[in-house]
Amino acid sequence: MSVPHRRTLGALAVLPLLLLPAACGGSSADASKDAESITKVKDGQMKGVKIATADFFGDCSDAIGKNTDLAKAVDECSTFQTLINKFNAENKFGITVTQQGADWKSFYDSLNAAFAAKQPPDVTLMHESNIPDYSSRGLLLPLGSDYKVVGIDPSDLTDPATSAVTVDEKIYAVPFDEHANLVHLNMDLMKQAHLVKPDGSPILPTSPAELKKQAAQFKSATGMQYMAWGNDFNIPFRVFSTLVSQQGKAVVTDDGKVQIDTPESHNALTLIKDLYSSGIADPKQTYDSSQQAWLNGKVGMLVNGTWPVNQYVNQTTFKYEATDFPTLYGQPGVWANSHTWVIPVQQDGDPVKYRAALEFAAWMYDHDKDWALGSGHLSVRKSVLASSAYKSAPQRANYVATADNAALVPQIVGWQGAEDDLQHAIEKVWLSGTSVDSALSAAQSQVEQQLQN
């Protein structure tokens, strides 16, 4: 079998999301009608069908080649590519999927351009927080009634997974994973700083004051940086959102109420500012530089997500532990989102290709355990989370509570623009000396305006 050619999704001109209705003209009624057509497709009709999928996990097809052995996949990209290869080699229908890729940061701009050109992929990855922007425009098939056709049992979905794929009481996606912030620890440095318990587990801070105290203790004992994260990857927003959630609030509620200029947000942003100003964290570090500093043994605690867990298991030369983000306020909570599979409405409305696209999404759902074990992401299936294979996989037991503590971003139209506005507003505190009060006031106003557009 030859490796399918990977066409670049970003080859089309970028188009803002707000221009999509005029460009595509979809409707919820048309989408529902197309979804109903899937039930009439016979298995034999899909033999030899070719579909295109879009993703943002990187292109490692040259390195992976034709491999279908998941035991050889060691990180997110290689696991995803191996699953694609495995589907093409083994699916019983003879469906072939080709990949369209884009850089993570430009993925949605490129996807919007594909929709505008009436050339969306047959099936695409989408964050749960982005689904309303497309479902509200009639651009995605509602899939609830089609789960049965492809053998998806919705009772096996976790509650966060069910929430992630449901918008306005309709299911618009097949869940793939849940991902969240974790802390990745250099346990050798933590031990050197006397921040390890007798049983070998880390001593993590339980309050802002304790965090600062431990950082000073760590610096004194090791001479190294206590905490790091990538400032170019929206992680400052994710930390901010996490700290607000630990005080029982959300920056924006599920019904779109903006509550950024609050005492809880003031506490969270002040803490982040203090971490930067005291040198505990570095506002100049990028995703790559913070990660490399940690891998080089220069940082004790790296704030990053679930996605690089397997990568770190294979790359670290020190004793490594991934664990839940520390609870610094009154209750556990951590920023989280979900990857899902959605099926765009196509101009020709071909039910056979729709069914083939859904069979691919269902196959990936069936291999959710392989994806979770190969990447580090949290499974969306109760049966997988309860399995001995999952529980015994490297590091998984250390962050099992993250699935329950996840504070998912709101599913509302315009969220991505609102998040970007919020990130830009709060980062002015450490980039240009804006006061915390002024930054929160500006963020409140800008996000409200963004969500009203």
Side-chain angles (χ1 to χ4, degrees):
M1 181 192 74
S2 61
V3 178
H5 177 63
R6 185 180 180 93
R7 186 169 72 84
T8 302
L9 183 65
L12 298 164
V14 172
L15 188 86
L17 180 64
L18 58 88
L19 297 182
L20 283 183
C24 299
S27 73
S28 297
D30 292 339
S32 296
K33 184 177 180 181
D34 283 356
E36 291 173 6
S37 69
I38 291 175
T39 61
K40 301 176 183 178
V41 176
K42 305 298 183 183
D43 291 358
Q45 292 178 266
M46 291 180 286
K47 185 174 180 59
V49 169
K50 296 181 179 181
I51 59 173
T53 183
D55 70 86
F56 36 72
F57 292 132
D59 185 1
C60 49
S61 55
D62 289 341
I64 300 305
K66 302 176 183 179
N67 177 56
T68 59
D69 183 0
L70 286 161
K72 296 179 180 179
V74 297
D75 56 19
E76 183 184 61
C77 184
S78 61
T79 300
F80 186 78
Q81 185 64 52
T82 301
L83 285 170
I84 294 288
N85 292 348
K86 195 172 179 67
F87 173 83
N88 283 333
E90 300 176 5
N91 81 86
K92 66 181 181 180
F93 305 105
I95 301 165
T96 299
V97 61
T98 58
Q99 291 173 265
Q100 301 174 350
D103 178 74
W104 180 86
K105 292 182 179 180
S106 62
F107 177 79
Y108 287 104
D109 288 337
S110 301
L111 184 63
N112 294 342
F115 271 111
K118 299 183 180 180
Q119 299 175 24
D122 297 296
V123 57
T124 181
L125 277 168
M126 185 170 286
H127 292 87
E128 58 98 359
S129 54
N130 293 77
I131 293 175
D133 285 330
Y134 299 86
S135 63
S136 65
R137 292 167 166 83
L139 300 176
L140 304 177
L141 296 189
L143 301 176
S145 60
D146 295 317
Y147 267 24
K148 186 182 297 185
V149 176
V150 293
I152 296 176
D153 177 8
S155 68
D156 194 33
L157 271 62
T158 63
D159 290 342
T162 300
S163 175
V165 300
T166 307
V167 178
D168 295 332
E169 300 183 350
K170 289 185 178 181
I171 293 176
Y172 279 98
V174 175
F176 195 36
D177 67 48
E178 184 182 326
H179 50 282
N181 273 350
L182 302 175
V183 290
H184 303 268
L185 303 174
N186 180 329
M187 292 300 290
D188 292 343
L189 289 178
M190 295 292 282
K191 184 176 182 180
Q192 187 178 337
H194 307 290
L195 292 174
V196 176
K197 299 175 185 177
D199 65 1
S201 61
I203 299 173
L204 296 176
T206 59
S207 69
E210 198 167 59
L211 185 154
K212 295 173 185 178
K213 181 180 178 181
Q214 289 190 10
Q217 178 178 326
F218 183 92
K219 182 72 172 180
S220 176
T222 68
M224 302 296 181
Q225 183 180 344
Y226 176 64
M227 175 180 280
W229 58 65
N231 292 280
D232 60 338
F233 199 66
N234 268 24
I235 292 182
F237 159 75
R238 297 175 184 183
V239 173
F240 173 76
S241 177
T242 293
L243 298 177
V244 171
S245 73
Q246 291 184 359
Q247 299 172 78
K249 282 278 191 177
V251 292
V252 179
T253 65
D254 289 335
D255 59 2
K257 180 182 178 182
V258 181
Q259 42 189 26
I260 297 170
D261 194 2
T262 65
E264 293 81 7
S265 293
H266 191 279
N267 292 337
L269 190 53
T270 298
L271 176 56
I272 295 172
K273 176 187 176 182
D274 290 348
L275 295 178
Y276 285 137
S277 63
S278 63
I280 295 173
D282 184 351
K284 296 181 180 179
Q285 282 180 314
T286 64
Y287 185 91
D288 290 339
S289 68
S290 62
Q291 177 174 257
Q292 197 58 53
W294 180 76
L295 288 169
N296 289 343
K298 304 296 184 183
V299 174
M301 178 189 296
L302 178 69
V303 179
N304 203 356
T306 50
W307 49 90
V309 168
N310 273 37
Q311 173 191 340
Y312 294 165
V313 166
N314 289 289
Q315 286 186 345
T316 47
T317 57
F318 46 79
K319 185 179 181 182
Y320 162 53
E321 182 165 321
T323 193
D324 305 305
F325 194 95
T327 300
L328 302 177
Y329 292 98
Q331 63 186 56
V334 63
W335 169 91
N337 207 324
S338 292
H339 294 132
T340 73
W341 292 103
V342 298
I343 299 179
V345 173
Q346 302 291 337
Q347 192 172 17
D348 60 2
D350 183 350
V352 175
K353 294 193 78 172
Y354 282 149
R355 168 75 186 277
L358 184 57
E359 289 291 353
F360 168 75
W363 189 94
M364 295 297 268
Y365 172 80
D366 287 341
H367 288 76
D368 177 72
K369 180 173 72 174
D370 296 321
W371 174 240
L373 293 180
S375 61
H377 292 307
L378 295 161
S379 173
V380 293
R381 301 183 62 175
K382 297 174 186 176
S383 58
V384 172
L385 292 172
S387 69
S388 58
Y390 186 86
K391 290 179 178 179
S392 62
Q395 302 293 331
R396 294 334 187 261
N398 299 330
Y399 60 95
V400 66
T402 292
D404 295 324
N405 299 339
L408 289 165
V409 295
Q411 276 193 321
I412 52 175
V413 174
W415 169 250
Q416 191 58 60
E419 179 183 312
D420 291 343
D421 282 350
L422 178 51
Q423 166 73 19
H424 294 152
I426 64 173
E427 69 184 6
K428 290 182 179 179
V429 171
W430 51 90
L431 294 180
S432 59
T434 300
S435 70
V436 168
D437 288 339
S438 295
L440 292 176
S441 177
Q444 177 81 24
S445 176
Q446 290 166 16
V447 170
E448 285 178 342
Q449 184 175 1
Q450 175 70 233
L451 295 179
Q452 289 172 0
N453 289 338

